[in-house]
Amino acid sequence: MANSGAEKLKLYSYWRSSCAHRVRIALALKGLDYEYIPVNLIKGDQFDPDFKQINPMGTVPALVDGDVVINDSFAIIMYLDEKYPEPPLLPRDIHKRAVNYQAMSIVLSGIQPHQNLAVIRYIEEKINAEEKTAWVNNAITKGFTALEKLLVNCAGKHATGDEIYLADLFLAPQIHGAINRFQINMEPYPTLAKCYESYNELPSFQNALPEKQPDAPSTI
């Protein structure tokens, strides 16, 4: 493990969180050992005063590295990439690097926030379950349409070629959730579907799957 001999990293995570999922992939790619600390978002563990001391926003993931505490998934991934630069999560080519940032941003700001647990709960409570589903589906299909157009001419085995980079860490959890939680049909997005197939062959991605986490229900 890359951090052998150092104080073990701590990851506050929830099995179904796509934000935590992408950090778990980064940790696996870097070969980093860490302590998994579950935060049950359904039961409201994120509002516990002790956890709010770690992350005042009351969200996961949170990474603790000795005296360093980082709460945003993108910030955590960039921190890990700078501290443990192999394998790199960004390509040298500046155009490919920009594409990775764009793909990351579409997921981070254009899709994931609209399917956030607090948001969809609010919509369901204020309107109804049908509107909640329509809201989530619209955000995902709009984002996937943009991602398909962005990546169709630069994808290889993965999002921006044959190497795993930042875009892949954000795409894999988002596609997994779209298929398994929201029953999104991937047929209109062949590039994304092809990338997802390749992720399913990689142990670092497979081991980070929600259903393989220690706090996942025994029957999903």
Side-chain angles (χ1 to χ4, degrees), residues 31 93 96 157 211:
D93 181 88
K96 281 190 176 182
K157 195 172 181 180
E211 56 267 28

Side-chain angles (χ1 to χ4, degrees), residues 42-78:
I42 301 298
K43 293 183 177 179
D45 289 357
Q46 66 272 34
F47 304 119
D48 184 276
D50 289 339
F51 182 68
K52 292 292 284 287
Q53 288 292 319
I54 295 166
N55 183 1
M57 284 292 289
T59 58
V60 294
L63 183 79
V64 177
D65 182 12
D67 295 331
V68 176
V69 180
I70 310 169
N71 294 311
D72 174 80
S73 65
F74 178 53
I76 292 170
I77 290 168
M78 290 293 93

